[in-house]
Amino acid sequence: MNLSYILTILVFSPLLGIIVLAFLQKSNEKAIKLVGFLATLPALLLSLAAYAHYLAGKSLADFSTRADWIQFGGFKQMGEKYFSIHYELGINGFSLLLVVLTAVVASLAAIASGMIKREWKGYFMLFLLLEVGMLGVFTAQNLVLFFLFFELTLIPMFFLIGKWGYFEKEKAAYSFLIYNGLGSAVLLIVIMVLFTRTGTSNIQLLEQLIANPDAQLMAPISEGTKMGLLIALLVAFGIKLPIFPLHSWMLRVHVQAPPAIVMIHSGILLKIGAFGLIRFGMGIFPEQFKQLAVLLAILGVVNLLYGAFLAFIQTDFKMVLAYSSISHMGIVLIGLAALNEAGIQGAIFQVISHGLISALLFFLVGVFYERLDTSLISNLGGLAKGMPIAAGILLAGGMASLGLPGMSGFVSEFMAFLGLFKEMPVLAAIGCIGIIMTAAYLLRAILGMTYGTPHREFTGVLDLKGVEYVPALTLLFLIVLIGVYPSVLSSPLESALKTIMIGLGG
């Protein structure tokens, strides 16, 4: 059976929803919301089918597809046309997990988009275009195609924030566009340098050419140039992750964007930064990456502590979660800096785990804001009495975020710190302060909301209702599943981790 077309269908299937939406009346709210949700299902079903295909012991290479696309010259070497850009899609264990995460969160965010009160047609068309970009980023097998999909995520996000956000939505949208636009410019420079020096943008071929000192390139790449390109990648993807001090734009987005979009932003888009560092930074420049290990560990500890301490003093729960995301992305850097299997696996686990946990918590914040018109911790006191089910799920999500054993957060944090303790025990010990602070700020905020002094009567305030249970319970189930049975992630990662470790010389 030919499966090479599956990824193309998976990536571009949301476009079918956009076409259907174009023919619907903009006032037909129910039909628009239904089509917006249904259009996310093909990608979800196909991603789960790909996961099942892997579990059945079959190769993910079956899904790879390649077609001629753009040819700049007639150079040939080793049977490969140089200065050619191909349409290439494929997945490995790591990108498979991110594709599944993207499809799951996108479908659940489409349900959460029921909170949108106006102009549903334009919203869902942009929403589905954003999903195309995210799926394409994780399946692209050459840098040019990756960049195009990367840019495709920026345009709909800008309008989704700026048009459907809260009070300072325009400021948040322009901050997002400016910072991420600068990151894109830096990334484009790296891609163009690599393309002109090597004659290819294929990621796998680039890894081979850069690793082989005897490879015949179109122009030599010195060790200093390689380090410069890696630092540029660190800046480009560091903005996306984000790494302190390139983080301020993200705070505005988390606070001002509509809840469903923040679910996607915190759950998926931030993870593109981690994916880029691992796939391109560690994959193409492994030797230079090893030289920056200490710097990455320091940046990770700074992220972890900075985010944790500032989260502790926030009065708005959205800001608590925003700084919490900065802190938890520090754990990703810590795991990568360890340069061993435990640390890298912990970093990847953290990428998936935080994607689920943050999506859950921001969904609940959206529910609270819709019901009570506030996200201030002091104004949400007494939730356990007024909204007991939502408060209980909030407490479970908070426990996962602070690393309670039996939930996904514990597995990722344990492995990342285990890896760093093997290589840099002093930095790892300092980083543990951030873990303690995580428990402090999350318990302070969540207990203040659930059992704090009530500032309102909850008479007539609805708890979770109907379809709202689907995102809440699905995300909570996946968080517990990964915590109890980590093999659902570690099994697909085995081959990808072996490839990374071989590249690092381990």
Side-chain angles (χ1 to χ4, degrees), residues 108-177:
L108 299 179
I111 296 174
S113 296
M115 301 177 194
I116 297 297
K117 304 298 183 186
R118 58 190 175 86
E119 300 183 51
W120 310 283
K121 183 174 179 178
Y123 172 87
F124 274 104
M125 292 177 81
L126 290 169
F127 181 97
L128 294 172
L129 185 62
L130 174 62
E131 186 181 10
V132 172
M134 293 188 298
L135 292 169
V137 159
F138 297 127
T139 55
Q141 290 301 293
N142 71 65
L143 290 175
V144 173
L145 196 58
F146 172 88
F147 181 78
L148 293 176
F149 282 121
F150 184 84
E151 291 297 288
L152 187 58
T153 65
L154 302 186
I155 300 166
M157 268 298 291
F158 171 76
F159 289 107
L160 288 167
I161 298 167
K163 191 168 182 64
W164 287 274
Y166 294 112
F167 305 109
E168 297 184 359
K169 54 191 178 184
E170 292 90 355
K171 188 175 181 179
Y174 279 107
S175 293
F176 168 83
L177 189 63

Coordinates of all heavy atoms in Angstrom, one line a residue, residues 108-177:
L108 N -9.0 20.2 20.0 CA -9.6 20.6 21.3 C -9.7 22.1 21.4 O -10.6 22.7 21.9 CB -8.7 20.1 22.5 CG -8.6 18.6 22.6 CD1 -7.7 18.2 23.7 CD2 -10.0 17.9 22.7
A109 N -8.7 22.8 20.8 CA -8.8 24.3 20.7 C -10.0 24.7 19.8 O -10.6 25.8 20.1 CB -7.5 24.9 20.2
A110 N -10.3 23.9 18.8 CA -11.5 24.3 18.0 C -12.8 24.2 18.8 O -13.7 25.0 18.6 CB -11.5 23.3 16.8
I111 N -12.8 23.2 19.7 CA -14.0 23.1 20.6 C -14.0 24.3 21.5 O -15.0 24.9 21.7 CB -13.9 21.8 21.4 CG1 -14.0 20.6 20.5 CG2 -15.0 21.8 22.5 CD1 -13.8 19.3 21.2
A112 N -12.8 24.7 22.1 CA -12.7 25.8 23.0 C -13.1 27.1 22.3 O -13.4 28.1 22.9 CB -11.3 25.9 23.6
S113 N -13.0 27.1 20.9 CA -13.3 28.3 20.2 C -14.8 28.7 20.2 O -15.2 29.7 19.7 CB -12.8 28.2 18.7 OG -11.4 28.1 18.6
G114 N -15.6 27.8 20.8 CA -17.0 28.1 21.0 C -17.1 29.4 21.9 O -18.2 30.0 21.9
M115 N -16.1 29.8 22.6 CA -16.1 31.0 23.4 C -16.1 32.3 22.5 O -16.4 33.4 23.0 CB -15.0 31.0 24.4 CG -14.9 29.9 25.4 SD -13.5 30.0 26.5 CE -13.5 28.3 27.2
I116 N -15.7 32.1 21.3 CA -15.6 33.3 20.4 C -17.0 33.8 20.1 O -17.9 33.0 19.8 CB -14.9 32.9 19.0 CG1 -13.5 32.5 19.3 CG2 -15.0 34.1 18.1 CD1 -12.6 33.6 19.9
K117 N -17.2 35.1 20.2 CA -18.6 35.7 20.2 C -18.9 36.4 18.9 O -20.1 36.7 18.7 CB -18.7 36.7 21.3 CG -18.5 36.1 22.7 CD -19.4 35.0 23.1 CE -19.2 34.5 24.5 NZ -20.0 33.3 24.8
R118 N -17.9 36.6 18.0 CA -18.3 37.3 16.8 C -17.3 36.9 15.6 O -16.3 36.3 15.8 CB -18.0 38.8 17.1 CG -16.6 39.2 17.5 CD -16.5 40.6 18.0 NE -15.2 40.9 18.5 CZ -14.2 41.3 17.8 NH1 -14.3 41.4 16.5 NH2 -13.0 41.5 18.3
E119 N -17.8 37.2 14.4 CA -17.1 37.0 13.2 C -16.4 35.6 13.2 O -15.2 35.5 13.0 CB -16.0 38.1 13.0 CG -16.6 39.5 13.0 CD -15.6 40.6 12.7 OE1 -14.8 40.4 11.8 OE2 -15.6 41.6 13.5
W120 N -17.3 34.6 13.3 CA -16.8 33.2 13.4 C -16.1 32.7 12.1 O -15.2 32.0 12.2 CB -17.9 32.3 13.8 CG -18.7 32.9 15.0 CD1 -18.3 32.8 16.3 CD2 -19.9 33.6 15.0 NE1 -19.3 33.4 17.1 CE2 -20.3 33.9 16.3 CE3 -20.8 33.9 14.0 CZ2 -21.4 34.6 16.6 CZ3 -22.0 34.6 14.3 CH2 -22.3 34.9 15.6
K121 N -16.7 33.2 11.0 CA -16.2 32.7 9.7 C -14.7 33.0 9.5 O -13.9 32.2 9.2 CB -17.1 33.3 8.6 CG -16.7 32.8 7.2 CD -17.7 33.3 6.2 CE -17.4 32.8 4.8 NZ -18.4 33.3 3.8
G122 N -14.4 34.3 9.7 CA -13.0 34.7 9.5 C -12.1 34.1 10.5 O -10.9 33.7 10.2
Y123 N -12.6 33.9 11.7 CA -11.8 33.3 12.8 C -11.4 31.9 12.4 O -10.2 31.5 12.5 CB -12.6 33.3 14.1 CG -11.9 32.5 15.2 CD1 -11.0 33.1 16.1 CD2 -12.2 31.2 15.4 CE1 -10.4 32.4 17.1 CE2 -11.6 30.5 16.5 CZ -10.7 31.1 17.3 OH -10.1 30.4 18.3
F124 N -12.4 31.1 12.0 CA -12.1 29.7 11.8 C -11.2 29.5 10.5 O -10.5 28.5 10.4 CB -13.3 28.8 11.7 CG -13.8 28.4 13.1 CD1 -14.8 29.0 13.7 CD2 -13.1 27.3 13.8 CE1 -15.3 28.6 15.0 CE2 -13.5 26.9 15.0 CZ -14.6 27.6 15.6
M125 N -11.4 30.3 9.5 CA -10.6 30.3 8.3 C -9.1 30.5 8.7 O -8.2 29.8 8.2 CB -11.1 31.2 7.3 CG -12.4 30.9 6.7 SD -13.1 32.1 5.5 CE -12.2 31.6 4.0
L126 N -8.9 31.5 9.5 CA -7.5 31.8 10.0 C -7.0 30.6 10.9 O -5.8 30.2 10.8 CB -7.4 33.1 10.7 CG -7.6 34.3 9.9 CD1 -7.8 35.6 10.7 CD2 -6.4 34.6 9.0
F127 N -7.9 30.1 11.7 CA -7.5 29.0 12.7 C -7.0 27.8 11.9 O -6.0 27.2 12.2 CB -8.8 28.7 13.5 CG -8.6 27.6 14.5 CD1 -8.3 27.9 15.8 CD2 -8.7 26.2 14.1 CE1 -8.1 26.9 16.7 CE2 -8.5 25.2 15.0 CZ -8.2 25.5 16.4
L128 N -7.8 27.4 10.8 CA -7.4 26.3 10.0 C -6.1 26.5 9.2 O -5.3 25.6 9.0 CB -8.6 25.9 9.1 CG -9.8 25.4 9.8 CD1 -11.0 25.2 8.9 CD2 -9.5 24.1 10.6
L129 N -5.9 27.7 8.7 CA -4.7 28.1 8.0 C -3.5 28.0 9.0 O -2.4 27.5 8.6 CB -4.8 29.5 7.5 CG -3.6 29.9 6.6 CD1 -3.5 29.1 5.4 CD2 -3.8 31.4 6.2
L130 N -3.7 28.4 10.2 CA -2.7 28.2 11.3 C -2.3 26.7 11.5 O -1.1 26.4 11.6 CB -3.1 28.9 12.6 CG -2.2 28.7 13.8 CD1 -0.9 29.3 13.6 CD2 -2.9 29.3 15.0
E131 N -3.3 25.9 11.5 CA -3.0 24.5 11.7 C -2.2 23.9 10.5 O -1.3 23.0 10.7 CB -4.4 23.7 11.8 CG -4.1 22.2 12.2 CD -5.4 21.4 12.3 OE1 -6.5 21.9 12.0 OE2 -5.3 20.2 12.8
V132 N -2.5 24.3 9.3 CA -1.7 23.9 8.1 C -0.2 24.2 8.4 O 0.7 23.4 8.2 CB -2.2 24.5 6.8 CG1 -1.2 24.2 5.7 CG2 -3.6 24.0 6.5
G133 N 0.0 25.4 8.8 CA 1.4 25.9 9.1 C 2.1 25.0 10.1 O 3.3 24.6 10.0
M134 N 1.4 24.7 11.2 CA 2.0 24.0 12.3 C 2.3 22.5 11.9 O 3.4 22.0 12.2 CB 1.0 24.0 13.5 CG 0.8 25.4 14.2 SD -0.1 25.3 15.7 CE -1.7 24.7 15.1
L135 N 1.4 21.9 11.2 CA 1.6 20.5 10.8 C 2.7 20.5 9.8 O 3.5 19.5 9.8 CB 0.3 20.0 10.1 CG -0.9 19.7 11.1 CD1 -2.1 19.4 10.3 CD2 -0.5 18.6 12.1
G136 N 2.8 21.5 8.9 CA 3.9 21.5 7.9 C 5.2 21.7 8.5 O 6.2 21.1 8.0
V137 N 5.3 22.5 9.5 CA 6.6 22.7 10.2 C 7.2 21.4 10.7 O 8.4 21.2 10.6 CB 6.4 23.7 11.4 CG1 7.6 23.6 12.4 CG2 6.4 25.2 10.9
F138 N 6.4 20.6 11.3 CA 6.9 19.3 11.9 C 7.1 18.2 10.9 O 7.7 17.2 11.2 CB 6.0 18.9 13.0 CG 5.9 19.9 14.1 CD1 4.7 20.3 14.6 CD2 7.0 20.4 14.7 CE1 4.6 21.2 15.6 CE2 7.0 21.3 15.8 CZ 5.7 21.7 16.2
T139 N 6.7 18.4 9.7 CA 6.8 17.3 8.7 C 7.8 17.7 7.5 O 8.2 16.8 6.7 CB 5.5 16.9 8.1 OG1 4.8 18.1 7.5 CG2 4.6 16.3 9.1
A140 N 8.1 19.0 7.4 CA 9.0 19.4 6.3 C 10.4 18.8 6.4 O 11.0 18.7 7.5 CB 9.1 20.9 6.3
Q141 N 10.9 18.3 5.3 CA 12.2 17.6 5.3 C 13.3 18.5 4.6 O 14.4 18.0 4.4 CB 12.1 16.3 4.6 CG 11.3 15.3 5.4 CD 11.9 15.0 6.8 OE1 13.0 14.4 6.9 NE2 11.2 15.4 7.8
N142 N 13.0 19.7 4.3 CA 14.1 20.6 3.9 C 13.9 22.0 4.5 O 12.7 22.3 4.9 CB 14.2 20.7 2.3 CG 13.1 21.4 1.7 OD1 12.9 22.6 1.9 ND2 12.3 20.7 0.8
L143 N 14.9 22.8 4.6 CA 14.9 24.0 5.3 C 14.0 25.0 4.7 O 13.3 25.8 5.4 CB 16.3 24.6 5.5 CG 17.2 23.8 6.4 CD1 18.6 24.4 6.4 CD2 16.7 23.8 7.9
V144 N 13.9 25.1 3.4 CA 13.1 26.1 2.7 C 11.6 25.8 2.9 O 10.9 26.7 3.2 CB 13.4 26.1 1.2 CG1 12.5 27.0 0.4 CG2 14.9 26.5 0.9
L145 N 11.2 24.6 2.8 CA 9.8 24.2 3.1 C 9.5 24.5 4.5 O 8.4 25.0 4.8 CB 9.6 22.7 2.7 CG 8.2 22.3 2.5 CD1 7.5 23.1 1.5 CD2 8.1 20.8 2.2
F146 N 10.4 24.1 5.4 CA 10.2 24.4 6.8 C 10.0 25.9 7.0 O 9.1 26.3 7.8 CB 11.4 24.0 7.6 CG 11.4 24.4 9.1 CD1 10.8 23.6 10.0 CD2 12.0 25.6 9.5 CE1 10.8 24.0 11.4 CE2 12.0 26.0 10.8 CZ 11.4 25.2 11.8
F147 N 10.8 26.7 6.4 CA 10.7 28.2 6.6 C 9.3 28.7 6.1 O 8.7 29.6 6.7 CB 11.8 28.9 5.8 CG 11.8 30.4 6.0 CD1 12.3 31.0 7.1 CD2 11.3 31.2 5.0 CE1 12.3 32.4 7.3 CE2 11.3 32.6 5.1 CZ 11.8 33.1 6.2
L148 N 8.9 28.2 4.9 CA 7.6 28.6 4.4 C 6.4 28.3 5.3 O 5.6 29.1 5.6 CB 7.4 28.0 3.0 CG 8.3 28.4 1.9 CD1 8.0 27.7 0.6 CD2 8.2 29.9 1.7
F149 N 6.5 27.1 5.9 CA 5.4 26.7 6.9 C 5.6 27.5 8.1 O 4.6 27.9 8.8 CB 5.5 25.2 7.2 CG 4.9 24.3 6.1 CD1 5.7 23.4 5.5 CD2 3.6 24.5 5.7 CE1 5.1 22.5 4.5 CE2 3.0 23.6 4.8 CZ 3.8 22.7 4.2
F150 N 6.8 27.8 8.6 CA 7.1 28.6 9.7 C 6.5 30.0 9.6 O 5.8 30.5 10.5 CB 8.6 28.7 9.9 CG 9.0 29.4 11.2 CD1 9.1 28.8 12.4 CD2 9.4 30.7 11.1 CE1 9.5 29.4 13.5 CE2 9.8 31.4 12.3 CZ 9.8 30.8 13.5
E151 N 6.7 30.6 8.4 CA 6.1 31.9 8.1 C 4.6 31.8 8.1 O 3.9 32.8 8.4 CB 6.7 32.4 6.8 CG 8.1 32.8 6.8 CD 8.4 33.9 7.8 OE1 8.0 35.1 7.6 OE2 9.0 33.6 8.9
L152 N 4.0 30.7 7.6 CA 2.6 30.6 7.5 C 1.9 30.6 8.8 O 0.7 31.0 8.9 CB 2.3 29.3 6.7 CG 0.8 29.0 6.4 CD1 0.3 30.1 5.5 CD2 0.7 27.7 5.7
T153 N 2.6 30.2 9.9 CA 2.0 30.3 11.2 C 1.9 31.8 11.7 O 1.1 32.1 12.6 CB 2.8 29.5 12.2 OG1 4.1 30.0 12.4 CG2 2.9 28.0 11.8
L154 N 2.8 32.6 11.2 CA 2.8 34.0 11.8 C 1.6 34.8 11.3 O 1.1 35.6 12.1 CB 4.1 34.7 11.3 CG 5.5 34.1 11.7 CD1 6.6 35.0 11.3 CD2 5.5 33.8 13.2
I155 N 1.2 34.7 10.1 CA 0.2 35.6 9.5 C -1.1 35.4 10.2 O -1.8 36.3 10.7 CB 0.1 35.3 8.0 CG1 1.4 35.7 7.3 CG2 -1.0 36.2 7.4 CD1 1.5 35.2 5.9
P156 N -1.7 34.1 10.3 CA -3.0 33.9 10.9 C -2.9 34.3 12.4 O -3.8 34.8 13.0 CB -3.3 32.5 10.7 CG -2.1 31.8 10.3 CD -1.2 32.9 9.6
M157 N -1.7 34.0 13.1 CA -1.6 34.3 14.5 C -1.7 35.8 14.8 O -2.4 36.2 15.7 CB -0.3 33.7 15.1 CG -0.4 32.4 15.6 SD -1.5 32.2 17.1 CE -0.6 33.1 18.3
F158 N -1.1 36.6 13.9 CA -1.2 38.0 14.0 C -2.6 38.5 14.0 O -3.0 39.3 14.9 CB -0.4 38.7 12.9 CG -0.5 40.2 12.8 CD1 0.1 41.0 13.7 CD2 -1.3 40.7 11.9 CE1 0.0 42.4 13.7 CE2 -1.5 42.1 11.8 CZ -0.8 42.9 12.7
F159 N -3.4 38.0 13.1 CA -4.8 38.5 13.0 C -5.7 37.9 14.1 O -6.6 38.5 14.6 CB -5.4 38.1 11.6 CG -4.8 39.0 10.5 CD1 -3.9 38.5 9.6 CD2 -5.1 40.3 10.4 CE1 -3.4 39.2 8.6 CE2 -4.6 41.1 9.4 CZ -3.7 40.6 8.5
L160 N -5.4 36.6 14.5 CA -6.2 36.0 15.5 C -6.0 36.7 16.9 O -7.0 36.9 17.6 CB -5.8 34.5 15.6 CG -6.3 33.6 14.5 CD1 -5.6 32.3 14.6 CD2 -7.8 33.4 14.6
I161 N -4.8 37.2 17.1 CA -4.5 37.9 18.3 C -5.1 39.3 18.2 O -5.8 39.8 19.1 CB -3.0 38.0 18.6 CG1 -2.4 36.6 18.8 CG2 -2.7 38.9 19.9 CD1 -0.9 36.6 18.8
G162 N -4.8 40.0 17.1 CA -5.1 41.4 17.0 C -6.6 41.7 16.8 O -7.1 42.8 17.2
K163 N -7.4 40.7 16.3 CA -8.8 41.0 16.1 C -9.7 40.3 17.2 O -10.7 40.9 17.5 CB -9.2 40.4 14.7 CG -10.6 40.8 14.3 CD -10.9 40.5 12.8 CE -12.3 41.0 12.4 NZ -12.4 42.5 12.5
W164 N -9.3 39.2 17.7 CA -10.2 38.5 18.6 C -9.7 38.5 20.1 O -10.2 37.8 20.9 CB -10.5 37.1 18.2 CG -11.4 37.0 17.0 CD1 -12.8 37.0 17.0 CD2 -11.1 37.0 15.6 NE1 -13.3 36.9 15.8 CE2 -12.3 36.9 14.9 CE3 -9.9 37.0 14.9 CZ2 -12.3 36.9 13.5 CZ3 -9.9 37.0 13.5 CH2 -11.1 36.9 12.8
G165 N -8.6 39.2 20.3 CA -8.0 39.3 21.6 C -8.7 40.2 22.6 O -9.8 40.7 22.3
Y166 N -8.0 40.5 23.7 CA -8.6 41.4 24.7 C -8.2 42.8 24.6 O -7.9 43.3 23.5 CB -8.3 40.8 26.1 CG -8.9 39.4 26.4 CD1 -8.2 38.3 26.4 CD2 -10.3 39.3 26.5 CE1 -8.8 37.0 26.7 CE2 -10.9 38.1 26.7 CZ -10.1 36.9 26.8 OH -10.7 35.7 27.0
F167 N -8.1 43.6 25.7 CA -8.0 45.0 25.7 C -6.8 45.5 24.9 O -6.9 46.5 24.2 CB -8.0 45.6 27.1 CG -9.2 45.1 27.9 CD1 -9.1 44.2 28.9 CD2 -10.5 45.5 27.5 CE1 -10.2 43.7 29.6 CE2 -11.6 45.1 28.2 CZ -11.5 44.2 29.3
E168 N -5.6 44.9 25.1 CA -4.4 45.4 24.4 C -4.0 44.5 23.3 O -2.8 44.2 23.1 CB -3.3 45.6 25.4 CG -3.6 46.6 26.5 CD -2.4 46.8 27.5 OE1 -1.4 46.1 27.3 OE2 -2.5 47.7 28.4
K169 N -5.0 44.0 22.6 CA -4.7 42.9 21.6 C -3.9 43.4 20.4 O -3.0 42.7 20.0 CB -6.1 42.4 21.0 CG -7.0 43.5 20.5 CD -8.4 43.0 20.2 CE -9.3 44.1 19.7 NZ -10.7 43.7 19.5
E170 N -4.0 44.7 20.0 CA -3.2 45.2 18.9 C -1.7 45.2 19.3 O -0.8 44.8 18.5 CB -3.7 46.6 18.4 CG -5.0 46.6 17.8 CD -6.1 46.8 18.8 OE1 -5.9 46.8 20.0 OE2 -7.3 46.9 18.3
K171 N -1.5 45.7 20.5 CA -0.1 45.8 21.0 C 0.5 44.4 21.1 O 1.7 44.2 20.7 CB -0.1 46.4 22.4 CG 1.3 46.8 22.9 CD 1.2 47.5 24.2 CE 2.6 47.9 24.7 NZ 2.6 48.7 26.0
A172 N -0.2 43.4 21.6 CA 0.2 42.0 21.7 C 0.5 41.5 20.3 O 1.5 40.8 20.1 CB -0.8 41.2 22.4
A173 N -0.4 41.8 19.3 CA -0.2 41.2 18.0 C 1.0 41.8 17.3 O 1.8 41.0 16.7 CB -1.4 41.6 17.1
Y174 N 1.3 43.1 17.4 CA 2.5 43.7 16.8 C 3.7 43.2 17.5 O 4.8 43.0 16.9 CB 2.4 45.2 16.8 CG 1.5 45.7 15.7 CD1 0.2 46.2 15.9 CD2 1.9 45.6 14.4 CE1 -0.6 46.7 14.9 CE2 1.1 46.1 13.3 CZ -0.1 46.6 13.6 OH -0.9 47.0 12.5
S175 N 3.7 43.0 18.8 CA 4.9 42.5 19.5 C 5.2 41.1 19.0 O 6.4 40.7 18.8 CB 4.6 42.4 21.0 OG 4.5 43.7 21.6
F176 N 4.2 40.3 18.9 CA 4.3 38.9 18.3 C 5.0 39.0 16.9 O 5.9 38.3 16.6 CB 3.0 38.2 18.2 CG 3.0 37.0 17.5 CD1 3.4 35.8 18.0 CD2 2.6 36.9 16.1 CE1 3.4 34.6 17.3 CE2 2.6 35.8 15.4 CZ 3.0 34.6 16.0
L177 N 4.4 39.9 16.1 CA 4.9 39.9 14.7 C 6.3 40.4 14.6 O 7.2 39.9 13.8 CB 4.0 40.8 13.9 CG 4.2 40.8 12.4 CD1 3.9 39.4 11.8 CD2 3.3 41.8 11.7

